[in-house]
């Protein structure tokens, strides 16, 4: 531990004293609409990478179309319409400060929006000429590595590779017209240029896309994602949490986009295109063929027991499951939009190289996808005007079951927003690539009602909250009969000059099996958060208190105090330091907090037990085109002599990680 503390202090030394302008931290701002369920969800890393990419390649407001602004997922329909109307009525913006003239965009939203948009006075119409592509195209190369200062059991015996995690990400952009990308990633413990990874990285992702070519809106070759309607048939894109649904008022968009993430799940591989067939009507078609990881049935190895999405290939058993099955996908969407009305249809067909055969000995798995071929079709519909919008989708599939979700939003004034959402997903409904609003994590076995409101009574003051009730007609994991759940959140943010005050209370209850498994009992968790942030052009400091209390088979509570400090130095160096003390009774009362991370990597660590966490983060702009980021984290537990279990077990009470990243633009 002495060595890690010395290393931590040495890591702080490069920061000498001085002043520079403030750098807005969009990740910290985004944390106000992020809950612990979001931070721990697998697809939130994918969401985070999309936002990071947008922050690195912001949208020019003066040339932005509705489709461009819809990429910013937390904007509402009204805010998008107001931005477009402002530019149309008053001409090109001269600075982002003009966003203050748009009444529907308050101070907090304006600060967040400024991280993803820009004003490019030099912007010109782009033509696809080789000379212009070579001259004006922009290259972006990012190299990342994680170095642990500890040894896990698997590093001694079990893992096939070394303990370091590393990746690269290359992108070429010619405006929004042409994009090319290649990503390679390696998880700790996976072999590199060895064994079955003879080609180097464990995972590669490639794409090339063209956009805005007359009637051809977009075409992608390689790996991509797609989302249509409300996600009941096809959505490998964003999956909104409940606070994000409130912030964006549940807005969704039809889109295909490149898969540049290191995530090895929820993407397709092949070709996808969107064309404007006739005025106001677009047609999207996609085809995919890819290998997938799967656990095969132990009796014959000729059927799939479970589809795996973790992407880990560290051990012999994980390597045997690598690319041992294949999936084919074909689908189409047609959408008509005119004068606020929208009508669309989506169809998809899935086929596997061997049939899915889930283990149905447990009742909650009885209606898991089974068979070799699947299809789904859905109709989506909607209407929007300046004050309210309605959107919904109803779908069916191979099993003949129904799923439907419908959303209504009303904005009676610029200070009040209301949203209501109803969903019904039959327990027999199966859609392998569906992701939509849900409590259960998938579009199956759930019905419920969600209502939320946001009120901005004063300049700088925002009060918001929601309540959601869900009913599960069929048994689910840890509930052997029909059950229900509810949760609610109330939060407020007040910003004045350099100060931001934030408070949140949440309550969540799920019915689960009691200890004897003879009936159901409540699993009730309550959480609170208070924070105060001071920010000026030189530094920012945030103090935050988190608390949690859980009551299920046993009661548990916990609290955490954290301090976050950020400081601009020498104009080209930004230092951030985070420190936290946490004390919780069990995992159910765990707590999390935001801390700065590397580009394209979400950093919202969760803690339970008793201990300290320290983190220091340095970002240095070596030149206009070269940036280096370093981050060192130390977590020291006071209530245990080892961390984790199995192959991930560390035989000491502390762990230290060093993260390094280089970003070169040329």
């Amino acid at each position: 531990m002495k060595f890690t503390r010395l290393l931590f202090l040495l890591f702080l030394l490069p920061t000498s004293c001085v002043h520079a302008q403030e750098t807005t931290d969009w990740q910290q701002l985004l944390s106000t609409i992020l809950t612990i369920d979001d931070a721990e969800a697998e697809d939130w890393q994918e969401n985070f990478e999309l936002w990071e990419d947008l922050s690195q390649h912001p949208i020019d407001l003066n040339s932005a179309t509705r489709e461009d602004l819809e990429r910013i997922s937390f904007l509402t329909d009204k805010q998008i319409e107001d931005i477009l109307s402002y530019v149309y009525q008053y001409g090109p913006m001269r600075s982002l400060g003009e966003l203050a003239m748009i009444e529907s965009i308050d101070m907090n939203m304006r600060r967040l929006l400024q991280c993803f948009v820009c004003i490019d006075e030099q912007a010109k119409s782009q033509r696809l000429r080789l000379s212009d592509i070579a001259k004006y195209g922009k290259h972006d190369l990012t190299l990342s590595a994680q170095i642990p200062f500890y040894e896990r059991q698997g590093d001694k015996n079990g893992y096939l590779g070394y303990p370091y995690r590393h990746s690269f990400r290359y992108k070429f952009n010619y405006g929004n017209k042409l994009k090319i990308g290649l990503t390679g990633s390696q998880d700790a413990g996976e072999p590199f240029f060895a064994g079955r990874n003879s080609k180097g990285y464990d995972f590669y992702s490639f794409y090339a896309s063209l956009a805005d070519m007359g009637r051809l809106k977009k075409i992608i070759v390689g790996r991509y994602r797609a989302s249509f309607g409300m996600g009941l048939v096809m959505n490998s894109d964003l999956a909104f949490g409940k606070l994000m649904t409130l912030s964006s008022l549940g807005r969704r968009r039809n889109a295909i986009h490149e898969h540049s993430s290191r995530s090895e799940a929820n993407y397709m591989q092949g070709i996808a295109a969107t064309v404007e067939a006739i005025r106001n009507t677009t047609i999207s078609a996609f085809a995919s063929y890819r290998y997938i990881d799967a656990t095969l049935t132990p009796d014959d190895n000729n059927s799939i027991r479970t589809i795996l999405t973790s992407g880990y290939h560290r051990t012999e058993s994980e390597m045997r499951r690598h690319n041992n099955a294949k999936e084919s996908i074909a689908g189409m969407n047609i959408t008509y939009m005119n004068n606020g009305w929208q009508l669309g249809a989506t169809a998809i067909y899935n086929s596997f190289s061997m049939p899915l055969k889930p283990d149905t000995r447990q009742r909650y798995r009885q209606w898991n996808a089974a068979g070799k071929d699947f299809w789904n079709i859905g109709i989506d519909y909607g209407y929007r005007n300046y004050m309210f919008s309605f959107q919904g989708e109803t779908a069916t599939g191979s099993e003949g079951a129904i799923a439907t979700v419908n959303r209504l939003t009303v904005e009676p004034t610029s200070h009040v927003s209301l949203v209501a959402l109803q969903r019904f997903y039959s327990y027999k409904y199966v859609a392998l690539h569906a992701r939509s609003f849900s409590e259960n994590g998938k579009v199956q076995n759930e019905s419920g009602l969600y209502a939320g409101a946001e009120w901005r009574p004063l300049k700088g003051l925002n009060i918001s909250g929601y309540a959601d009730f869900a009913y599960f007609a069929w048994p689910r994991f840890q509930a052997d009969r029909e059950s229900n759940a509810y949760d609610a959140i109330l939060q407020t943010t007040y910003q004045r000059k350099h100060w931001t005050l934030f408070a949140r209370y949440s309550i969540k209850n799920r019915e689960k099996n009691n200890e004897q498994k003879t009936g159901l009992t409540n699993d009730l968790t309550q959480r609170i958060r208070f924070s105060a942030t001071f920010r000026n052009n030189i530094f920012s400091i945030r103090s935050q208190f988190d608390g949690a209390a859980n009551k299920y088979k046993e009661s548990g509570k916990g609290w955490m105090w954290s301090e976050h400090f950020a400081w601009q130095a020498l104009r080209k160096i930004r230092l951030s330091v985070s420190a936290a003390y946490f004390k919780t009774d069990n995992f159910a009362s765990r707590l999390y907090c935001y801390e700065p991370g590397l580009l394209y990597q979400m950093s919202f660590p969760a803690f339970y037990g008793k201990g300290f966490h320290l983190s220091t983060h340095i970002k240095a702009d070596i030149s206009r085109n070269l940036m280096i980021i370093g981050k060192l984290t130390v977590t020291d537990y006071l209530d245990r002599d080892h961390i984790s279990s199995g192959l991930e077990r560390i035989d000491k009470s502390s762990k230290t990680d060093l993260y390094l990243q280089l970003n070169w633009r040329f």
Side-chain angles (χ1 to χ4, degrees):
M1 188 59 193
K2 289 182 179 179
F3 170 74
T4 57
R5 286 173 179 164
L6 177 61
L7 189 61
F8 187 84
L9 291 174
L10 288 174
F11 202 63
L12 293 176
L13 289 180
T15 63
S16 21
C17 14
V18 237
H19 311 300
Q21 292 185 347
E22 168 190 2
T23 300
T24 303
D25 194 337
W26 66 268
Q27 300 176 25
Q28 181 176 326
L29 295 172
L30 193 64
S31 69
T32 62
I33 51 176
L34 192 71
T35 66
I36 191 168
D37 292 328
D38 298 329
E40 295 179 345
E42 178 182 321
D43 49 27
W44 264 89
Q45 176 62 40
E46 304 162 17
N47 298 354
F48 184 87
E49 293 191 15
L50 291 174
W51 286 316
E52 183 70 69
D53 185 66
L54 197 56
S55 72
Q56 297 299 311
H57 307 91
I59 296 170
D60 176 22
L61 286 180
N62 288 332
S63 60
T65 63
R66 171 176 290 278
E67 290 74 18
D68 292 331
L69 294 177
E70 285 179 344
R71 293 172 58 200
I72 306 175
S73 51
F74 51 81
L75 285 178
T76 67
D77 285 324
K78 185 175 187 298
Q79 289 168 338
I80 291 174
E81 189 63 40
D82 287 348
I83 292 172
L84 294 173
S85 298
Y86 182 91
V87 174
Y88 177 80
Q89 184 174 356
Y90 299 105
M93 292 186 184
R94 297 295 182 88
S95 74
L96 292 179
E98 291 189 53
L99 288 171
M101 305 296 292
I102 301 177
E103 192 175 11
S104 61
I105 301 177
D106 64 13
M107 186 183 303
N108 293 321
M109 181 59 68
R110 190 162 65 249
R111 286 181 58 203
L112 184 56
L113 182 59
Q114 287 175 346
C115 302
F116 302 99
V117 298
C118 66
I119 301 298
D120 187 359
E121 297 181 356
Q122 307 298 322
K124 299 178 181 178
S125 60
Q126 296 169 322
R127 298 178 182 177
L128 274 182
R129 296 184 298 197
L130 289 178
S131 58
D132 288 342
I133 293 173
K135 184 176 181 181
Y136 299 110
K138 296 180 180 179
H139 304 262
D140 189 315
L141 176 64
T142 302
L143 306 177
S144 307
Q146 177 185 350
I147 304 171
F149 290 90
Y150 49 82
E151 190 174 44
R152 300 165 300 179
Q153 289 296 322
D155 299 326
K156 301 175 185 178
N157 183 21
Y159 290 155
L160 302 175
Y162 46 68
Y164 312 112
R165 182 187 187 194
H166 55 94
S167 64
F168 76 88
R169 184 189 301 255
Y170 167 77
K171 292 185 178 183
F172 174 83
N173 281 36
Y174 177 64
N176 287 323
K177 291 278 188 180
L178 174 64
K179 296 182 180 180
I180 299 173
L182 176 65
T183 299
S185 68
Q186 193 80 10
D187 288 310
E190 294 176 338
F192 185 61
F193 280 111
R196 291 178 60 182
N197 277 349
S198 59
K199 296 181 181 179
Y201 283 95
D202 177 74
F203 175 73
Y204 288 98
S205 182
F206 168 80
Y207 64 84
S209 68
L210 283 173
D212 300 328
M213 303 290 293
R215 289 191 178 275
L216 178 63
K217 296 301 181 183
K218 193 161 194 175
I219 183 169
I220 304 174
V221 177
R223 293 183 173 175
Y224 62 91
R225 296 175 179 273
S227 175
F228 302 104
M230 298 286 282
L232 298 188
V233 173
M234 180 73 236
N235 179 19
S236 58
D237 200 349
L238 293 174
F240 287 171
K242 295 179 181 179
L243 272 177
M244 177 63 78
T245 296
L246 178 58
S247 174
S248 65
L249 296 185
R251 179 183 59 80
R252 298 206 62 88
R253 69 186 183 108
N254 292 345
I256 57 172
H257 71 85
E258 306 78 10
H259 175 71
S260 60
S261 168
R262 54 177 291 149
S263 170
E264 300 183 37
N266 299 321
Y267 69 84
M268 292 185 288
Q269 179 176 274
I271 186 170
T274 298
V275 298
E276 185 179 19
I278 57 176
R279 187 178 180 184
N280 302 322
T281 303
T282 60
I283 297 177
S284 298
F286 52 93
S288 170
Y289 178 81
R290 56 167 292 206
Y291 286 89
I292 59 174
D293 293 0
T295 300
L296 305 184
T297 51
D299 50 349
D300 57 10
N301 279 340
N302 290 320
S303 57
I304 299 172
R305 175 62 54 87
T306 308
I307 296 175
L308 304 174
T309 60
S310 69
Y312 288 133
H313 308 116
R314 304 162 299 182
T315 64
E316 291 289 353
S317 60
E318 289 176 347
M319 193 62 77
R320 284 194 297 269
R321 299 165 186 163
H322 184 31
N323 289 344
N324 59 353
K326 296 182 281 290
E327 180 186 21
S328 302
I329 306 171
M332 174 180 282
N333 168 268
I334 181 169
T335 298
Y336 171 80
M337 297 182 67
N338 188 28
N339 293 328
W341 293 95
Q342 173 185 328
L343 181 63
T346 306
I348 186 174
Y349 173 78
N350 290 67
S351 180
F352 293 90
S353 57
M354 57 185 79
L356 302 182
K357 189 179 178 181
D359 184 355
T360 57
R361 287 174 294 181
Q362 293 174 300
R363 290 189 69 207
Y364 74 89
R365 291 176 174 166
Q366 182 171 338
W367 297 105
N368 284 11
K372 189 175 180 180
D373 302 298
F374 304 86
W375 61 266
N376 294 91
I377 186 168
I379 303 296
D380 62 277
Y381 35 83
Y383 174 76
R384 66 183 176 211
N385 64 20
Y386 196 74
M387 288 187 60
F388 78 95
S389 68
F390 170 75
Q391 187 176 6
E393 183 176 18
T394 300
T396 188
S398 311
E399 304 294 334
I402 295 293
T404 184
V405 58
N406 299 278
R407 167 190 60 82
L408 175 67
T409 68
V410 180
E411 297 181 82
T413 73
S414 60
H415 304 291
V416 177
S417 304
L418 305 171
V419 57
L421 186 146
Q422 167 272 334
R423 73 269 192 196
F424 168 78
Y425 310 142
S426 168
Y427 58 82
K428 295 182 180 181
Y429 182 73
V430 173
L432 296 172
H433 294 277
R435 285 198 294 179
S436 191
F437 186 100
S438 72
E439 166 66 28
N440 204 28
K442 56 182 180 179
V443 182
Q444 188 181 43
N445 186 30
E446 180 174 332
S447 57
L449 182 63
Y450 167 96
E454 188 172 8
W455 182 33
R456 299 171 289 277
L458 303 171
K459 183 179 180 181
L461 178 62
N462 183 300
I463 302 172
S464 59
Y466 72 79
D468 181 61
F469 176 83
Y471 172 72
F472 313 102
W474 190 261
R476 59 192 180 96
F477 180 63
Q478 294 185 327
D480 292 341
R481 61 186 66 183
E482 68 275 11
S483 60
N484 59 59
Y486 66 83
D487 69 304
I489 279 182
L490 178 64
Q491 70 177 36
T492 181
T493 304
Y494 179 67
Q495 184 173 356
R496 182 174 177 82
K497 295 183 179 179
H498 300 300
W499 286 94
T500 301
L501 305 178
F502 176 81
R504 174 192 291 168
Y505 168 77
S506 67
I507 182 171
K508 183 169 188 173
N509 183 72
R510 282 187 173 190
E511 289 186 332
K512 293 183 178 180
N513 293 329
N514 59 24
E515 199 163 357
Q516 297 77 27
K517 294 188 177 180
T518 57
L520 299 180
T521 187
N522 292 329
D523 179 359
L524 178 67
T525 302
Q526 300 179 76
R527 298 181 183 277
I528 57 171
R529 169 174 290 180
F530 301 101
S531 70
T533 304
F534 177 86
R535 180 191 301 267
N536 63 19
N537 292 334
I538 301 173
F539 68 90
S540 68
I541 184 169
R542 182 173 88 254
S543 298
Q544 182 170 298
F545 175 83
D546 289 89
N550 172 264
K551 186 176 182 180
Y552 179 33
K553 296 177 181 178
E554 60 180 19
S555 297
K557 58 183 181 298
W559 62 273
M560 177 171 64
W561 184 274
S562 57
E563 296 287 338
H564 309 264
F565 176 78
W567 180 28
Q568 289 289 135
L570 296 174
R571 289 187 175 271
K572 295 186 177 181
I573 297 177
R574 179 175 173 83
L575 165 70
S576 300
V577 179
S578 302
Y581 173 79
F582 54 91
K583 183 179 180 182
T584 76
D585 294 333
N586 49 29
F587 181 75
S589 56
R590 66 197 180 280
L591 297 160
Y592 78 100
C593 65
Y594 159 77
E595 64 184 30
L598 304 184
L599 299 179
Y600 305 106
Q601 294 185 24
M602 186 169 68
S603 189
F604 292 90
F607 307 100
Y608 72 97
K610 181 180 179 182
F612 297 92
H613 177 74
L614 301 173
S615 171
T616 182
H617 178 280
I618 297 175
K619 182 172 72 173
D621 295 314
I622 305 302
S623 68
R624 182 178 179 182
N625 300 322
L626 184 63
M627 178 178 65
I628 295 178
I629 298 176
K631 178 182 177 181
L632 185 71
T633 64
V634 179
T635 305
D636 190 4
Y637 293 93
L638 305 177
D639 60 346
R640 67 196 73 173
D641 59 6
H642 68 274
I643 302 172
S644 197
S645 60
L647 293 179
E648 287 291 294
R649 174 172 170 143
I650 303 167
D651 287 324
K652 56 181 182 179
S653 62
S654 67
K655 57 179 295 189
T656 301
D657 289 280
L658 175 64
Y659 303 82
L660 298 172
Q661 190 172 71
L662 181 145
N663 178 253
W664 181 30
R665 300 182 181 184
F666 55 100

